Amino acid sequence: MARTKLIAKYAALDTPDLADRIQKTITDYISENGIEELPNLELNGRWTGKLSISDGGWRGDFDFLYPVLSMCRVDRKGNVYPDMKKIEKRVANWREILHTPHEDDKYLGVCDDTFDHDGYLEDDANEFYSAAYKSELHSFLNSDNPDMLEHDKALTEIDNLFREEKKPESQDSQRIFGEGFAVQRIDNAEDYRKLMEAIEADAASGGGYSWINPDFDMDSIEEMFAGSSKNDDWMQWIEDLRNGRFGELPEDFDGLAEEEE
């Protein structure tokens, strides 16, 4: 069951200076792009050693992947910057996941007997793959009449650019809840409604069964997503901190501190 092949695959990322590299990546991003979008961003570390910050994309099961803000600090003056203590905590957690064998490894394709090197895309191919999927999903969600079947065909065409083995035509696709769904988060009520309606229509046209309730209660859906647009109040909160509207705060104040901290 050893994971020697998996660990070796991630050797370029799993380096002694990983925490330092993550800190620099976050620092550089904030310097170049500001802090407005930080609540929506993740830091991804790939098997190639590449670190990037984005709002989605193809993610390997054992990539280093954490929300950017989970590795940041906000001081009492409203300054936002990476926190090495938090970064090191995430790095330690990721290393434990990478290095610890599990009884299901053979089913996950990560034990030495089932490990598949062909499942790892180089950085350029991964970026193209992500962009193609995100573009198709964007078009699907912004269509007046989203067609799940056509969407699935488009995603399959993208898959075939990168994968030699094609899915049997008779195999039901679950891509929207697997590969494709992870590429771009559904973070608003309207997109969620469109997605659910398309799934319902696809099931109905094929005579299949759908667990989707066709009587959509938009009030409930909007309530469900009410707290998902994290950056709606993010900059207002930062401005309030910078203007001292919360009174005198302790010197060690961290607005992003976890409960145990």
Side-chain angles (χ1 to χ4, degrees):
M1 183 195 291
R3 289 190 178 196
T4 53
K5 294 182 180 179
L6 176 67
I7 294 170
K9 197 70 175 180
Y10 276 89
L13 179 63
D14 189 14
T15 58
D17 65 342
L18 177 57
D20 293 321
R21 290 193 289 132
I22 291 171
Q23 183 184 45
K24 183 178 187 305
T25 299
I26 297 175
T27 299
D28 290 347
Y29 180 90
I30 292 175
S31 176
E32 295 173 9
N33 302 282
I35 65 171
E36 185 172 354
E37 293 300 319
L38 289 183
N40 302 315
L41 302 177
E42 299 168 325
L43 188 143
N44 180 217
R46 304 193 69 240
W47 66 275
T48 59
K50 180 179 179 179
L51 296 172
S52 62
I53 293 176
S54 71
D55 63 352
W58 283 96
R59 313 305 199 190
D61 290 340
F62 288 87
D63 284 2
F64 181 94
L65 183 64
Y66 289 93
V68 173
L69 283 185
S70 73
M71 294 178 284
C72 287
R73 181 184 187 91
V74 176
D75 65 20
R76 61 179 179 173
K77 296 182 179 179
N79 299 310
V80 184
Y81 47 88
D83 183 285
M84 182 57 78
K85 183 178 179 181
K86 294 179 183 179
I87 293 172
E88 290 176 341
K89 180 178 179 180
R90 271 71 186 177
V91 169
N93 181 66
W94 172 74
R95 283 186 172 136
E96 182 178 3
I97 293 172
L98 179 72
H99 288 264
T100 305
H102 189 276
E103 60 183 4
D104 292 331
D105 278 359
K106 63 181 179 181
Y107 304 112
L108 300 174
V110 296
C111 74
D112 288 354
D113 293 333
T114 64
F115 191 79
D116 181 12
H117 288 277
D118 294 334
Y120 292 81
L121 295 175
E122 295 289 345
D123 290 331
D124 289 346
N126 186 74
E127 288 182 13
F128 182 82
Y129 211 173
S130 295
Y133 252 71
K134 290 180 74 173
S135 177
E136 167 54 30
L137 188 54
H138 178 77
S139 296
F140 171 77
L141 292 174
N142 285 277
S143 171
D144 291 334
N145 298 292
D147 186 320
M148 183 63 70
L149 182 60
E150 290 301 317
H151 176 58
D152 191 70
K153 288 180 180 179
L155 297 181
T156 299
E157 289 178 2
I158 296 171
D159 286 345
N160 291 340
L161 292 173
F162 297 90
R163 300 178 181 176
E164 295 181 1
E165 295 183 5
K166 300 182 180 180
K167 285 186 177 182
E169 292 183 3
S170 60
Q171 182 175 343
D172 291 335
S173 172
Q174 296 179 340
R175 181 181 293 102
I176 195 67
F177 294 111
E179 303 148 329
F181 189 76
V183 175
Q184 177 177 315
R185 291 188 297 274
I186 306 299
D187 58 7
N188 65 82
E190 183 61 23
D191 283 352
Y192 181 82
R193 179 188 64 79
K194 282 188 174 183
L195 176 61
M196 295 299 102
E197 287 180 343
I199 294 173
E200 176 72 17
D202 184 58
S205 64
Y209 172 78
S210 172
W211 52 268
I212 304 299
N213 184 347
D215 298 322
F216 292 98
D217 181 351
M218 281 303 294
D219 289 339
S220 297
I221 294 175
E222 289 174 358
E223 182 179 349
M224 179 173 65
F225 282 94
S228 62
S229 298
K230 298 178 182 178
N231 61 339
D232 287 351
D233 301 319
W234 163 250
M235 291 307 296
Q236 181 61 55
W237 178 64
I238 293 294
E239 182 181 344
D240 289 345
L241 270 175
R242 292 174 176 175
N243 291 327
R245 291 173 183 160
F246 299 116
E248 188 66 25
L249 297 171
E251 290 187 10
D252 61 351
F253 172 81
D254 177 9
L256 296 175
E258 299 173 336
E259 291 185 5
E260 63 268 24
E261 296 173 345

